[in-house]
Amino acid sequence: GNGQMNMTANVGNVDRMLRIGLGVLLIALTLLGTIGVWGWLGLVLIGTGFMRFCPAYRLFGFKTCAT
């Protein structure tokens, strides 16, 4: 390759919706003071949901979307 990381989609639609929903929930709980700074991990979930790519999935070699 040309040195760029291959970001092939590996997150399916249901997975995306769950990630984005959970991410929004975590951030909301953080802003409400219900949970601590860990809620900002919701940003990671939202990011991987929108990009349709999860580096951890690549690491472990699985995906939740159809090829």
Side-chain angles (χ1 to χ4, degrees):
N2 54 5
Q4 287 184 328
M5 195 168 96
N6 181 12
M7 291 197 10
T8 309
N10 63 0
V11 175
N13 286 332
V14 173
D15 193 353
R16 279 180 75 193
M17 286 185 272
L18 289 172
R19 284 169 182 267
I20 293 168
L22 187 61
V24 168
L25 180 67
L26 283 172
I27 290 167
L29 290 173
T30 299
L31 294 174
L32 292 170
T34 308
I35 58 176
V37 293
W38 290 103
W40 293 113
L41 288 173
L43 289 172
V44 175
L45 290 172
I46 293 170
T48 56
F50 279 113
M51 292 189 317
R52 300 190 63 135
F53 175 75
C54 179
Y57 280 11
R58 166 71 48 78
L59 202 64
F60 296 111
F62 63 86
K63 57 175 79 175
T64 58
C65 68
T67 49

